[in-house]
Amino acid sequence: MKEAEIVEVIKGAFGSLVAPGAYELADDAAMIPPVIGHRARVVTTDVVVEGVDFDLGLYPAMYAGYRALAQNISDLSAMGAFPVGFVWSLAIPPPWLERERIAELARGAAVLAKLRMAPLFGGDLSATSGPLVVSITAFGDVEGVPIRRAGARPGDFLWLSGPVGGAAAGLRVLRERQRAGPSPEPFEAWLRSLPDALASAVRAHVMPLPGDPAVLASASAAMDVSDGLAIDANRLAAASRVRLELEDLDSALAPAATHEDALHGGEDYALLFTAPPSARVDGLRVGRVVEGEGVWQRGARVEAAGHDHFARLLHLAH
Amino acid sequence: MKEAEIVEVIKGAFGSLVAPGAYELADDAAMIPPVIGHRARVVTTDVVVEGVDFDLGLYPAMYAGYRALAQNISDLSAMGAFPVGFVWSLAIPPPWLERERIAELARGAAVLAKLRMAPLFGGDLSATSGPLVVSITAFGDVEGVPIRRAGARPGDFLWLSGPVGGAAAGLRVLRERQRAGPSPEPFEAWLRSLPDALASAVRAHVMPLPGDPAVLASASAAMDVSDGLAIDANRLAAASRVRLELEDLDSALAPAATHEDALHGGEDYALLFTAPPSARVDGLRVGRVVEGEGVWQRGARVEAAGHDHFARLLHLAH
């Protein structure tokens, strides 16, 4: 079963109990009532699993905490929402029942919580015999209505809030370090010793900065690039029933990143959005919206190949 | 490390980034801004792990889904809040990647979602090599201010919204069935074949009905009984800096339940609350609030022995 099939099974089981604000479970976050004045409240939830969504063989625990919250803040940003706060729950295995390790994980989330003014509202803990599982639910407020994936119109320009591919390039550097074997050098000292482009890529992986929702002021549609531009742009194209032409991806490549990293890497947490040509936009213009379907680059279709949690799981299982 | 110690480590890491509405991470749910008119929004999160918090050797998957949501609805009730909706995330192991099993889990949550008008707002999925982990975050609204654990005053009466001990008595019946070995009889048919008191106890375990927040209209303090009356009443006494005298627990025992079940069983999801003697209360009166500390019954102190996820975990690990 693929992720999309599981979502369909869940939608079927809940039927009319899927809230209208849940947008058919297809957007980055949901709108929860009530709308107060011109402000809507949105909510998003993400779960990350050690060994599947993060790898503590590659970086210290604090980055796992940071990245777990970054995913959620990014989903809020994708709806145009500024964080109000978050709750988290941890399923903790025995090796993690150690004060400094838990503290490090929490401090990582606190770094981003402080940067984005997203306080902690609570949490829950349970034990597990399996890998560490961190589940975060974040709330945000948006002026006006949340920005959805549907809404791009032919004629709009296609934008990114920041460079992409850095997280995948950084992962490559991290894996090279791991292959070289255990090192007595502290992670941060190693990071400082790297050439600028590589250090920037590693930072993009371990401390990605979610896009600023303010850039979406004129956006017609938006989402965050979490699974790679190829799969995410195809999702936006499908939701908006348009064709996206990638024209200038080069200008949006992160240091050390290749086109492949940008298209299929994921975890960059930049915002991908569309806006009318007349809009003043603070971002990187990478293409345009035309009639049709799918994502195209230089006359060739960019297929929606990317990350599926359960493809990976089946790989782990077999 | 005990659960309370881990919470302290997390509080330390977040420092001033613990929101004021989080009540020092000590209540059943947190208040998130803004307050709208006379109505406050509260949020709660709970994580349950297969083999630790639920046991699919004992009952079908649908009850695991029901119970996961029941915990959260109960935490909302404990603050006096009516559900607005919820989000959930699932970390799914390979044996669960089967359409009917996921559907059953979702249908179980949907049964309670329908009963309590708590629609699904969204979710997230990841893969795991470990046990199934279900994390739910629920939102609710309360008229006036949320009811907290602190607030009980000497002279108040002590109440339960419904009987306790049933979940533990039901667990005993379920374990007896398991010890008897695999049975071709469907779970529901077996349940119907039981004497009334035992069937009622099993239902209290697999489909607990969270307390109705309406009973808290005059409450001075409240919480839900999730870890057993002994530990939970001690928590309320400590938060309110009072002594609780249990005077008539007999009247609050669920069918087939013993005093031991009520005190140390947990997972009943009744509401434990206090109210001034003049208040008209729809509940079971089980005692009174006096000056002092701790919980007492017939002149003997009731110690706060109960459930700690990590005691159990260490047990699993060794």
Side-chain angles (χ1 to χ4, degrees), chain B:
Chain B
M1 284 177 92
K2 286 192 172 169
E3 198 159 347
E5 292 172 298
I6 301 174
V7 173
E8 285 309 308
V9 167
I10 289 171
K11 274 168 74 172
F14 281 93
S16 63
L17 290 164
V18 176
Y23 303 132
E24 306 272 312
L25 308 180
D27 270 275
D28 290 296
M31 183 164 68
I32 47 173
V35 174
I36 308 144
H38 296 288
R39 189 171 286 188
R41 170 69 45 91
V42 298
V43 60
T44 183
T45 191
D46 270 298
V47 56
V48 293
V49 178
E50 185 179 0
V52 177
D53 302 290
F54 60 94
D55 182 346
L56 293 170
L58 296 177
Y59 40 75
M62 106 166 237
Y63 299 107
Y66 180 103
R67 294 174 82 241
L69 184 57
Q71 269 195 33
N72 282 271
I73 302 273
S74 179
D75 283 329
L76 293 179
S77 291
M79 309 298 283
F82 292 82
V84 169
F86 73 100
V87 294
W88 70 349
S89 64
L90 309 175
I92 306 179
W96 274 86
L97 281 178
E98 192 260 293
R99 181 174 299 271
E100 192 40 44
R101 231 171 157 199
I102 296 280
E104 217 191 311
L105 184 83
R107 279 196 299 265
V111 165
L112 185 59
K114 188 167 186 180
L115 270 175
R116 289 301 174 90
M117 293 185 292
L120 177 70
F121 276 87
D124 190 41
L125 306 169
S126 188
T128 180
S129 56
L132 178 73
V133 179
V134 180
S135 177
I136 293 183
T137 300
F139 326 99
D141 279 350
V142 56
E143 294 292 332
V145 291
I147 301 156
R148 301 186 48 194
R149 296 178 183 184
R153 295 285 165 267
D156 286 353
F157 289 150
L158 181 67
W159 298 86
L160 280 166
S161 66
V164 287
L171 182 58
R172 219 167 22 241
V173 180
L174 289 164
R175 286 198 173 135
E176 276 164 30
R177 179 178 189 244
Q178 187 182 42
R179 268 194 297 274
S183 158
E185 192 179 25
F187 185 83
E188 280 73 19
W190 166 77
L191 188 50
R192 280 192 301 271
S193 76
L194 290 178
D196 282 356
L198 299 187
S200 168
V202 170
R203 282 200 192 89
H205 190 87
V206 298
M207 293 186 81
L209 201 58
D212 181 347
V215 304
L216 301 183
S218 315
S220 50
M223 67 181 299
D224 72 330
V225 184
S226 53
D227 293 341
L229 201 50
I231 195 162
D232 287 329
N234 270 290
R235 285 172 176 155
L236 194 146
S240 291
R241 298 169 183 233
V242 294
R243 167 168 165 171
L244 300 178
E245 291 278 356
L246 290 177
E247 295 170 333
D248 186 13
L249 196 50
D250 286 345
S251 70
L253 286 186
T258 65
H259 271 81
E260 175 69 17
D261 293 333
L263 288 172
H264 303 294
E267 304 190 317
D268 285 311
Y269 304 118
L271 299 173
L272 176 70
F273 61 103
T274 59
S278 59
R280 293 181 60 143
V281 173
D282 180 15
L284 305 165
R285 195 175 132 193
V286 292
R288 64 177 66 240
V289 182
V290 298
E291 288 190 13
E293 57 175 357
V295 178
W296 296 71
Q297 189 177 33
R298 293 185 210 102
R301 188 149 185 171
V302 178
E303 297 296 340
H307 184 73
D308 188 289
H309 281 112
F310 298 95
R312 172 76 181 275
L313 175 69
L314 295 171
H315 179 73
L316 286 177
H318 292 107

Side-chain angles (χ1 to χ4, degrees), chain A residues 1-10 308-314, chain B residues 92 94 96-103 125:
Chain A
M1 282 176 93
K2 288 194 172 168
E3 200 159 346
E5 291 172 301
I6 301 174
V7 173
E8 284 309 308
V9 167
I10 290 170
D308 187 289
H309 280 109
F310 298 94
R312 172 78 181 275
L313 175 68
L314 294 172
Chain B
I92 306 179
W96 274 86
L97 281 178
E98 192 260 293
R99 181 174 299 271
E100 192 40 44
R101 231 171 157 199
I102 296 280
L125 306 169

Side-chain angles (χ1 to χ4, degrees), chain A residues 47-114:
Chain A
V47 55
V48 293
V49 178
E50 185 180 0
V52 177
D53 302 291
F54 60 93
D55 183 346
L56 293 169
L58 297 177
Y59 41 75
M62 97 165 250
Y63 299 107
Y66 179 104
R67 293 174 82 241
L69 184 57
Q71 269 195 34
N72 282 270
I73 302 272
S74 179
D75 283 328
L76 293 179
S77 291
M79 308 298 283
F82 292 83
V84 169
F86 74 100
V87 294
W88 70 348
S89 64
L90 309 175
I92 306 179
W96 274 85
L97 282 178
E98 192 260 293
R99 181 175 300 270
E100 192 40 43
R101 229 169 159 202
I102 296 279
E104 216 190 311
L105 184 82
R107 280 197 298 265
V111 166
L112 185 59
K114 189 166 187 180

Side-chain angles (χ1 to χ4, degrees), chain A:
Chain A
M1 282 176 93
K2 288 194 172 168
E3 200 159 346
E5 291 172 301
I6 301 174
V7 173
E8 284 309 308
V9 167
I10 290 170
K11 275 169 75 172
F14 280 93
S16 63
L17 290 163
V18 175
Y23 302 131
E24 306 272 310
L25 309 180
D27 271 276
D28 291 296
M31 183 165 67
I32 48 174
V35 174
I36 307 144
H38 296 288
R39 189 172 286 187
R41 169 70 46 91
V42 298
V43 60
T44 182
T45 192
D46 270 298
V47 55
V48 293
V49 178
E50 185 180 0
V52 177
D53 302 291
F54 60 93
D55 183 346
L56 293 169
L58 297 177
Y59 41 75
M62 97 165 250
Y63 299 107
Y66 179 104
R67 293 174 82 241
L69 184 57
Q71 269 195 34
N72 282 270
I73 302 272
S74 179
D75 283 328
L76 293 179
S77 291
M79 308 298 283
F82 292 83
V84 169
F86 74 100
V87 294
W88 70 348
S89 64
L90 309 175
I92 306 179
W96 274 85
L97 282 178
E98 192 260 293
R99 181 175 300 270
E100 192 40 43
R101 229 169 159 202
I102 296 279
E104 216 190 311
L105 184 82
R107 280 197 298 265
V111 166
L112 185 59
K114 189 166 187 180
L115 270 176
R116 289 301 174 89
M117 293 186 294
L120 177 70
F121 276 87
D124 190 41
L125 305 169
S126 189
T128 180
S129 56
L132 178 73
V133 179
V134 180
S135 177
I136 293 184
T137 300
F139 320 96
D141 279 349
V142 56
E143 294 292 332
V145 291
I147 300 157
R148 300 185 50 195
R149 296 179 183 182
R153 295 284 164 267
D156 286 354
F157 290 151
L158 181 68
W159 299 86
L160 281 166
S161 66
V164 287
L171 183 59
R172 216 164 28 238
V173 180
L174 289 164
R175 288 201 173 132
E176 276 164 30
R177 178 177 190 244
Q178 186 182 42
R179 268 194 297 272
S183 158
E185 190 179 28
F187 185 82
E188 280 74 18
W190 166 76
L191 189 50
R192 280 193 300 271
S193 76
L194 290 178
D196 282 356
L198 299 187
S200 168
V202 171
R203 283 199 192 91
H205 190 87
V206 297
M207 294 186 79
L209 201 58
D212 180 348
V215 304
L216 301 183
S218 315
S220 50
M223 68 181 299
D224 71 329
V225 184
S226 53
D227 293 342
L229 201 51
I231 196 163
D232 287 329
N234 270 290
R235 285 172 176 154
L236 194 146
S240 291
R241 297 169 184 234
V242 294
R243 168 169 165 169
L244 300 179
E245 291 279 354
L246 291 177
E247 294 170 333
D248 187 13
L249 197 50
D250 286 345
S251 69
L253 286 187
T258 65
H259 270 82
E260 177 68 18
D261 294 332
L263 288 172
H264 303 294
E267 304 189 318
D268 285 310
Y269 304 118
L271 299 174
L272 176 70
F273 61 104
T274 58
S278 58
R280 292 180 60 143
V281 172
D282 180 15
L284 305 165
R285 195 175 132 193
V286 292
R288 63 177 66 240
V289 182
V290 298
E291 289 192 15
E293 59 176 355
V295 178
W296 296 71
Q297 189 178 32
R298 293 185 210 101
R301 187 148 186 171
V302 178
E303 297 296 339
H307 184 74
D308 187 289
H309 280 109
F310 298 94
R312 172 78 181 275
L313 175 68
L314 294 172
H315 179 72
L316 286 176
H318 292 107

